[in-house]
Amino acid sequence: MVAERTLAGPCTAWPQDSAFIREVLDRIGDKWTVLVISTLGAGPLRYSDLQASVPGISQRMLTLTLKELERDGLLTRTAFPEVPPRVVYELTDLGRSLHEAVLSLAGWAAGHHGEIAAHRRAHEESGVGRAKTNQLLRKH
Amino acid sequence: MVAERTLAGPCTAWPQDSAFIREVLDRIGDKWTVLVISTLGAGPLRYSDLQASVPGISQRMLTLTLKELERDGLLTRTAFPEVPPRVVYELTDLGRSLHEAVLSLAGWAAGHHGEIAAHRRAHEESGVGRAKTNQLLRKH
DNA sequence: CAGAATCCCCACGGATACTG
DNA sequence: CAGTATCCGTGGGGATTCTG
């Protein structure tokens, strides 16, 4: 009891927000989800166009991502019973609202990634600069 | 050229936003970063308190996460040369701004995770409902 | 107390081949 | 065209042990 501890037993700083935060991140934190959502943000697309619009994605990942997004009600899948199959994917209102939320995050990134890059470079200079001067004392 | 394609050669729907989006997600999309940031959002904490405040985190992951965050200028590390070592971590202005951006995302989650859960449950009913109708094709 | 070093597992995702 | 099925490598991250 040295002074006051802003501490907080097991998990109190972020009451139950942490659960929500992790929920979104588990949802959009993967490699492709936001790319697909952003792409569909411009309008409905069919499977093949989607694959062409999201550069490095494989069919496997595109299919899996779309399935999960459909399952969560973020987009709709519409299959037309035609001779050459045609399936169109489109964001739902829920999906569009997520898209906007993600865009605001992207806005933050656009506004600060320069700062981050600068800090990162500064650390590389003083940290990985010369492996000669630092044997075992490198703290700023 | 059947009709107009809203398509977009390789990557045009999200001009260069996609790069920023991926940048943030690669940064905060991992398992612990946002938890640490959120915890430090309440105020500076020392290593051990941090570990106690972030429930399941291991020393390894806490250390790695803190290092990356410091490297990117999102938090500062202050070591006091005392007999029992004491190290305090604190968010920078940059870190706090990211924290707010993340909180807005959490706000979205808090407002919509009910909807998502509902959709998800609806899919489980109609999809994995009866394992009788489908012979030998079980989901995952 | 605040880490660094090591070992190890398994889920994420890429590549490829097959199908309705 | 729009998927499905399968194999397989990588690395994120947990558990444990050692150190200044």
Side-chain angles (χ1 to χ4, degrees):
Chain A
M1 51 178 78
V2 187
E4 85 287 297
R5 292 290 190 84
T6 320
L7 184 40
C11 180
T12 331
W14 13 280
Q16 71 280 20
D17 290 336
S18 66
F20 291 151
I21 298 180
R22 279 248 53 84
E23 194 173 326
V24 216
L25 288 175
D26 285 344
R27 175 73 280 212
I28 69 171
D30 72 311
K31 200 172 178 181
W32 302 108
T33 297
V34 293
L35 282 313
V36 169
I37 289 181
S38 294
T39 302
L40 285 177
L45 283 178
R46 49 192 298 184
Y47 189 88
S48 53
D49 290 346
L50 212 32
Q51 184 167 21
S53 295
V54 182
I57 202 169
S58 63
Q59 298 136 321
R60 173 189 155 83
M61 279 304 110
L62 179 55
T63 300
L64 284 178
T65 302
L66 289 171
K67 270 187 177 176
E68 291 181 347
L69 288 174
E70 186 196 5
R71 187 192 67 170
D72 291 355
L74 295 170
L75 57 76
T76 58
R77 190 195 108 116
T78 313
F80 298 87
E82 304 174 354
V83 179
R86 184 164 60 101
V87 179
V88 173
Y89 293 90
E90 180 172 17
L91 288 186
T92 61
D93 288 343
L94 186 59
R96 269 183 288 272
S97 78
L98 175 56
H99 181 209
E100 292 194 23
V102 168
L103 281 184
S104 85
L105 234 206
W108 181 89
H112 296 282
H113 89 295
E115 268 184 90
I116 293 182
H119 273 282
R120 200 174 290 200
R121 237 172 287 114
H123 256 261
E124 282 176 9
E125 284 178 14
S126 61
V128 196
R130 280 271 71 82
K132 231 174 71 174
T133 47
N134 55 353
Q135 310 229 96
L136 41 132
L137 43 110
R138 302 161 300 132
K139 290 317 167 187
H140 44 15
Chain B
M1 48 178 79
V2 186
E4 85 289 298
R5 289 289 190 84
T6 319
L7 183 41
C11 179
T12 330
W14 13 280
Q16 71 279 23
D17 291 337
S18 66
F20 292 149
I21 298 181
R22 280 248 53 84
E23 195 173 325
V24 217
L25 288 175
D26 286 344
R27 174 74 282 217
I28 69 172
D30 72 310
K31 199 173 179 182
W32 301 109
T33 297
V34 293
L35 283 314
V36 169
I37 289 181
S38 294
T39 302
L40 286 177
L45 281 179
R46 52 191 296 184
Y47 189 87
S48 54
D49 290 347
L50 212 32
Q51 186 168 20
S53 294
V54 182
I57 201 169
S58 62
Q59 301 119 315
R60 173 189 157 81
M61 278 304 109
L62 179 55
T63 300
L64 284 178
T65 303
L66 289 171
K67 270 187 176 175
E68 292 181 348
L69 288 175
E70 186 197 4
R71 188 191 66 169
D72 290 356
L74 295 170
L75 57 76
T76 59
R77 190 195 109 115
T78 312
F80 297 87
E82 301 174 356
V83 179
R86 185 163 61 98
V87 179
V88 173
Y89 293 90
E90 180 173 17
L91 287 187
T92 61
D93 288 343
L94 186 59
R96 269 184 287 274
S97 79
L98 175 56
H99 181 208
E100 293 194 23
V102 168
L103 280 184
S104 85
L105 234 205
W108 181 88
H112 296 283
H113 88 295
E115 268 183 89
I116 293 181
H119 272 281
R120 203 174 286 201
R121 234 172 289 115
H123 255 261
E124 281 175 10
E125 283 176 17
S126 61
V128 197
R130 282 272 70 83
K132 237 175 65 175
T133 45
N134 51 355
Q135 286 104 283
L136 47 131
L137 36 114
R138 300 178 45 182
K139 290 309 169 183
H140 43 24

